[in-house]
Amino acid sequence: MASTVNLHEKHFLCSLCRNIFTNPVTTPCGHSFCLSCLSQFWSRHQSRYCPECRRLFPEKPNLSVNHILANVAENYKKVRPQKTPDDELVLDVTQMIQERLQKIDRLKYSLDIQKSSYLREVRESQKIFSTLVNAMEKTHRAVVAGIEEKQKEEEKRVEALIKEIQQEIQELKEETSQTDLRISASQSDDMKHVAVTSEMKDWSKVTVETDPCVGVTRRALSDVLEKIKAEVNRLGKAELKRIEKYAVDINLSAKTAHPSLFVSDDRKLVRLTDKFQEVPDNPKRFDRIADILAKESFNSGRCYWEVEVGEKIEWKLGVARQSINRKGKFTLCPANGFWTLSLKAGGQYIANTSSPSLVAVEHRPRRVGVFLDYAEGRVSFFCADTGIHIYTFTDKFSDRLHPLFSPGRLHGGRNAAPLVISSGFCSI
């Protein structure tokens, strides 16, 4: 009888939690799981596939609770025989084994996906670099051909000039000979000179440029760089679309906010005020610099968030170590635990490196995307409106990192608008 019960029970067990179904849902491939178990599984693996058969779904399936299965599972719970402690122990061990077997399957499946990703990236890079190399070689051939053509034209021009000069020399010789016979000995040498040279060409202004190729290679290379830049921007847009799947929910930590900062109740908005607010002092609060950290911190994985900066003329965004100094004045730089990008009131974008670096930005962003890849040691900034990459810090992280925000100074009210953490993203 026990074997029959166990056999029947398998039909009511979620393969993810190994418990009787709770709000079961059925995937398009026919396998069923608890709704919460499947949602957590997909969130954890950043991919939509069936945990049972590994079928990949291009779009997230529209799942609804399977009420028939839910009712049957609920009825089974009521008539389910009570297990002895030994049965529970066997079930726990069996579940542990099953979980580890599933983990092995997930690791193998993830490795297969990773291999496909590596191969796709290699092929894409080969295609792009081959195209760029061909474009450079084509441009170089055009430069060489243009130089050679210009050289031939100059050679023809100089040869023609030489022939013209030689012709004039011959004419001068002939003219001199005839003039000597006609002009009497009484005429002066100056009169002879005028008679001979009055119709001759003035060669003093005829020259040959000895350095004709000034700027030729640079202009050609500039054209190539424009093509490379366009390709980099295209890749940046594609990269940002892939990064968006690592989006995380970010909430401001009011207890870290400088006293002059107002933080909204939903912890998504921060703006500078013209007076200090009465707030309790604590070691985590900034007391000199008008900064604020997020409640969330990260020490692994990848995460992405966006901030609406709108038309603000000054702001600062990035990440900071959990252990940073928050009291007094300090220098914003990676050595002190800050990886930040700033917009200054003069319109300059600054990467706050050890020596602040001016960053060229083509389009002024209204939304800035921040991407943290902890394992790779990268903090990247994107113009979320266009998808164009702005700047990337590369470092080695050891401490937990918090998103950092600063709305900048008021500038007479011209910069009073808030920074707003985006809760939803629109793909570019």
Side-chain angles (χ1 to χ4, degrees):
M1 183 67 180
S3 62
T4 304
V5 171
N6 287 337
L7 177 63
H8 284 257
E9 186 166 311
K10 291 180 180 179
H11 298 288
F12 308 109
L13 291 179
C14 170
S15 61
L16 293 175
C17 68
R18 303 304 299 170
N19 291 320
I20 302 297
F21 288 123
T22 301
N23 293 327
V25 293
T26 303
T27 60
C29 55
H31 296 102
S32 299
F33 310 90
C34 299
L35 176 59
S36 61
C37 293
L38 185 59
S39 298
Q40 291 173 11
F41 179 86
W42 282 348
S43 176
R44 189 167 60 248
H45 290 82
Q46 300 290 339
S47 183
R48 307 283 193 273
Y49 65 89
C50 174
E52 197 74 33
C53 67
R54 300 297 188 265
R55 175 179 168 183
L56 186 65
F57 307 118
E59 301 291 337
K60 182 179 180 180
N62 185 16
L63 300 176
S64 300
V65 174
N66 186 332
H67 292 289
I68 295 177
L69 181 57
N71 292 334
V72 173
E74 190 63 30
N75 289 333
Y76 178 78
K77 287 180 183 179
K78 296 176 181 178
V79 300
R80 182 186 188 188
Q82 295 295 321
K83 291 184 173 61
T84 66
D86 289 341
D87 290 334
E88 292 290 347
L89 179 61
V90 171
L91 182 61
D92 288 344
V93 173
T94 302
Q95 182 176 342
M96 291 172 66
I97 293 173
Q98 183 65 25
E99 288 175 351
R100 281 155 179 76
L101 289 174
Q102 288 179 347
K103 184 64 175 180
I104 291 173
D105 288 342
R106 289 196 295 268
L107 289 172
K108 289 181 178 179
Y109 180 73
S110 297
L111 183 61
D112 289 339
I113 294 179
Q114 187 186 70
K115 287 180 179 178
S116 299
S117 178
Y118 281 137
L119 182 60
R120 183 173 60 251
E121 197 70 21
V122 168
R123 289 175 175 171
E124 178 73 6
S125 65
Q126 286 176 337
K127 177 182 176 182
I128 292 172
F129 279 97
S130 294
T131 300
L132 291 175
V133 168
N134 290 336
M136 291 182 70
E137 291 177 344
K138 182 178 179 180
T139 301
H140 182 234
R141 288 194 296 270
V143 169
V144 173
I147 291 173
E148 290 176 346
E149 180 64 25
K150 192 170 183 179
Q151 181 182 4
K152 290 177 181 179
E153 291 176 356
E154 282 297 293
E155 287 177 352
K156 290 180 180 179
R157 187 178 78 89
V158 172
E159 287 177 0
L161 291 174
I162 291 174
K163 286 182 180 179
E164 188 176 351
I165 293 174
Q166 289 175 337
Q167 178 65 31
E168 285 197 356
I169 291 174
Q170 182 63 35
E171 291 176 358
L172 284 171
K173 289 180 178 179
E174 293 176 357
E175 183 69 22
T176 301
S177 177
Q178 294 175 4
T179 302
D180 287 342
L181 294 174
R182 292 197 305 266
I183 299 176
S184 63
S186 61
Q187 288 180 312
S188 66
D189 290 338
D190 289 338
M191 291 296 294
K192 291 181 183 181
H193 176 76
V194 172
V196 171
T197 61
S198 59
E199 296 181 358
M200 293 295 100
K201 184 174 182 178
D202 181 9
W203 291 96
S204 63
K205 296 181 181 180
V206 178
T207 61
V208 173
E209 180 56 66
T210 58
D211 193 7
C213 298
V214 173
V216 171
T217 302
R218 178 194 55 76
R219 289 193 297 271
L221 188 58
S222 295
D223 293 340
V224 173
L225 289 177
E226 285 298 318
K227 295 177 181 177
I228 294 176
K229 186 177 180 181
E231 187 62 32
V232 169
N233 288 343
R234 185 190 70 79
L235 290 173
K237 294 178 182 179
E239 181 182 354
L240 185 57
K241 286 186 177 181
R242 293 164 66 181
I243 284 174
E244 285 180 351
K245 66 183 177 184
Y246 299 107
V248 292
D249 185 34
I250 297 295
N251 298 277
L252 297 166
S253 173
K255 63 184 178 182
T256 68
H258 184 273
S260 65
L261 294 178
F262 167 81
V263 182
S264 63
D265 291 338
D266 64 0
R267 300 295 187 260
K268 299 295 183 183
L269 177 152
V270 59
R271 61 179 172 82
L272 187 68
T273 65
D274 57 2
K275 61 181 180 180
F276 277 32
Q277 303 175 74
E278 293 185 6
V279 292
D281 188 21
N282 65 67
K284 296 182 178 181
R285 188 181 303 282
F286 291 96
D287 67 351
R288 291 287 300 277
I289 307 297
D291 290 353
I292 182 173
L293 298 179
K295 180 180 70 175
E296 293 76 18
S297 63
F298 309 97
N299 66 347
S300 64
R302 295 171 169 177
C303 42
Y304 175 75
W305 61 95
E306 289 184 1
V307 183
E308 296 178 18
V309 298
E311 298 296 329
K312 289 182 66 62
I313 61 174
E314 185 175 296
W315 47 258
K316 179 175 64 197
L317 298 170
V319 299
R321 278 201 306 255
Q322 193 172 66
S323 59
I324 56 167
N325 172 38
R326 308 179 193 191
K327 305 300 181 182
K329 299 189 72 173
F330 44 78
T331 301
L332 288 171
C333 65
N336 290 338
F338 297 89
W339 294 265
T340 59
L341 178 75
S342 300
L343 169 62
K344 299 299 183 182
Q348 303 94 353
Y349 290 85
I350 303 294
N352 295 299
T353 51
S354 55
S355 297
S357 304
L358 188 64
V359 179
V361 175
E362 292 183 22
H363 304 281
R364 182 170 181 169
R366 295 179 59 86
R367 286 184 299 129
V368 176
V370 185
F371 177 55
L372 169 64
D373 188 337
Y374 193 98
E376 295 294 327
R378 288 198 294 265
V379 181
S380 299
F381 299 86
F382 293 84
C383 172
D385 311 299
T386 63
I388 294 176
H389 171 261
I390 298 174
Y391 188 82
T392 291
F393 288 92
T394 302
D395 213 325
K396 187 174 182 179
F397 306 132
S398 56
D399 198 357
R400 299 189 72 88
L401 300 178
H402 289 262
L404 179 144
F405 310 83
S406 176
R409 294 167 295 175
L410 289 174
H411 291 283
R414 292 186 296 126
N415 195 44
L419 292 176
V420 182
I421 301 173
S422 301
S423 55
F425 306 143
C426 297
S427 295
I428 54 174

